Amino acid sequence: MSQKHSILIVDDEPANLQKLKRTFIDEYRVIEAGSGEEALKKLRQGPVTAIVTDQKMPGMVGVELLKRSLKLSPDSVRVILTGYTEVEDLMDAINEGHVHRYITKPWDPFSLKEMIRRELENWDLRRENQRLADELAEANRQLARENRQLRQEVEVLKGDPGRLVYRSRSMEELIRLIDRVVETDSTVLVQGETGTGKELLARYIHRQSPRSGASFVPVNCGAVPADLVESAFFGHRKGAFTGAREDRKGFFEMADGGTLFLDEIGETPLEMQVKLLRVLQQQEILPVGAEKPICVNVRVVASTNQNLRSMVENGAFRQDLFFRLNVFSVHVPPLRTRPEDVRLLVEFFLEKCCGRINKRISGITENAMRLLESHAWPGNVRELENEIERLVILCDAGGWIDAQLLAERIRHQDDADVGRTGSLKEAVARLEKKLILDALENCQNNKTQAAKTLGITRQTVIAKLKQYEPGSLNS
């Protein structure tokens, strides 16, 4: 047996202590103690491989010593020497793991030494198995990290439409903040205007997380029919309702092991919100028509373009669900506040759209680029991408995108004329008109959606449109 093993021997009778020492001294490093208290002092100096102690000692008996030694030397082989009459008293200690083996008196040195030899061989084997298991676990973690990195590199080489493109400090700070939560399972609430790329950030969180190998399930909460919400989220069993001809998984079960993205969570009906809260807290769902709940392991990322705090105050959103979702909240800045990102985004979308449409163009003129950079982009990144796709379609193959191809709202920017002659009130009115008309165009004249984008009411949009009839404002 290797000399690396140390054995703490404990007995209050000096003759017995010397007998134990002679038994082990040739093969092990022996540490002596004449009482339980002295043994604990020795253990505080460092753990040992094995502890061999007498049971019946004044002050602290052997079982108590071995129990207290767990904190100081948890991996030690623990052996107790006892009389026949005390064996039954040791069974509870053995069952609880405080004692590994016991030897009845009178004990034979050869038998005790052989038993310790076998126990320490097993100890060596356990340590080696644990070392191999630790190395395997670390190798698996490293492999997972390398796989995620390789997937990201492949996505970049393919022109991944989901990769993040930015230069601005505000976006750098946002990504730095998000990188602190990706490795956890914490719920993330992504807030921001329509078109800022909230789903893109949710996908980034998923790709960077340990869940990247499982499913990412995006759900538009406002697009789920009210009468099918529960079935859509939790699934249903065959025959649960008319038309349920087979079992079907819901969004939570589809995302099991991965990430569920709840887009526009503020659109969720109130009666469904309490059920979502229970799932987030309990991590279990009850499919429609099922008798027993199903456990799920899902990381939730939610997004909204609304002010959930105001909705809570107005009774349109549950306060308890808001607090549960708002564990880690981030806000995506609108594109108008980070114009330095526009040029990068234009170049990225040009490459992406040319590849999808299978058309090559020479590029975009500097004059056209300056107009794109100075535009307010009320529809944010989504509006910019749609404009670039339109420009690629209109541009001749091999040609240049110049200012004449840009949409009229971009070529003739009222906000660029704010400084022209006239009062401050007139300049503000012109800018307000431009933002509202741009939002309506971007939302296909949907007044409700345009109002949400601008953060005003639908009634305000209608009232402003009446003001914009011919002759009401200089254009």
Side-chain angles (χ1 to χ4, degrees), residues 230 234-240 247 253 278 284-295:
E230 189 170 357
F234 307 141
H236 62 254
R237 293 291 178 259
K238 179 179 179 180
D247 291 354
E253 198 171 355
R278 175 175 174 76
E284 64 179 25
I285 59 172
L286 183 64
V288 178
E291 296 181 355
K292 294 182 179 180
I294 298 174
C295 292

Side-chain angles (χ1 to χ4, degrees), residues 309 318-327:
R309 289 187 183 275
R318 290 183 62 94
Q319 185 180 57
D320 47 8
L321 179 57
F322 170 69
F323 288 144
R324 185 63 184 80
L325 291 171
N326 199 37
V327 174

Side-chain angles (χ1 to χ4, degrees), residues 155-285:
E155 287 167 350
V156 169
L157 291 173
K158 290 181 177 178
D160 170 36
R163 106 178 129 95
L164 300 175
V165 178
Y166 60 91
R167 175 183 291 153
S168 61
R169 177 172 296 181
S170 60
M171 283 299 294
E172 286 181 356
E173 292 174 351
L174 173 64
I175 300 306
R176 192 178 302 118
L177 184 63
I178 287 177
D179 283 341
R180 301 182 68 148
V181 77
V182 291
E183 293 288 338
T184 74
D185 283 333
S186 297
T187 302
V188 180
L189 179 61
V190 183
Q191 303 180 78
E193 296 179 6
T194 297
T196 50
K198 296 187 289 296
E199 181 174 343
L200 194 65
L201 281 175
R203 291 183 181 276
Y204 174 83
I205 292 170
H206 175 73
R207 287 203 307 261
Q208 299 299 318
S209 76
R211 296 173 176 266
S212 60
S215 298
F216 176 87
V217 179
V219 178
N220 186 333
C221 296
V224 181
D227 56 340
L228 295 176
V229 169
E230 189 170 357
S231 172
F233 277 89
F234 307 141
H236 62 254
R237 293 291 178 259
K238 179 179 179 180
F241 50 83
T242 303
R245 293 186 291 271
E246 59 184 3
D247 291 354
R248 179 159 297 182
K249 293 181 179 180
F251 298 136
F252 274 92
E253 198 171 355
M254 291 163 58
D256 191 24
T259 304
L260 179 62
F261 174 53
L262 300 179
D263 191 19
E264 298 307 337
I265 187 68
E267 302 290 338
T268 309
L270 274 172
E271 59 271 18
M272 186 61 186
Q273 291 178 22
V274 66
K275 297 178 181 179
L276 283 178
L277 176 64
R278 175 175 174 76
V279 175
L280 293 177
Q281 290 175 335
Q282 304 296 330
Q283 286 284 295
E284 64 179 25
I285 59 172

Side-chain angles (χ1 to χ4, degrees), residues 105-131:
K105 297 178 180 178
W107 52 271
D108 174 61
F110 177 81
S111 299
L112 176 60
K113 187 175 181 180
E114 188 64 18
M115 185 269 287
I116 289 293
R117 184 187 63 77
R118 291 195 301 269
E119 289 292 335
L120 294 188
E121 284 180 351
N122 291 334
W123 187 91
D124 283 331
L125 184 59
R126 287 194 301 270
R127 289 291 294 267
E128 179 64 14
N129 288 342
Q130 185 61 51
R131 184 186 66 79

Side-chain angles (χ1 to χ4, degrees), residues 50-67:
I51 304 172
V52 179
T53 179
D54 187 29
Q55 161 64 0
K56 197 171 183 179
M57 296 184 295
M60 185 185 303
V61 296
V63 168
E64 180 64 20
L65 165 62
L66 295 182
K67 183 176 180 181

Side-chain angles (χ1 to χ4, degrees), residues 411-425:
R411 293 201 313 271
H412 304 103
Q413 298 181 39
D414 287 351
D415 54 339
D417 297 331
V418 168
R420 69 188 184 185
T421 57
S423 68
L424 175 62
K425 182 178 180 180

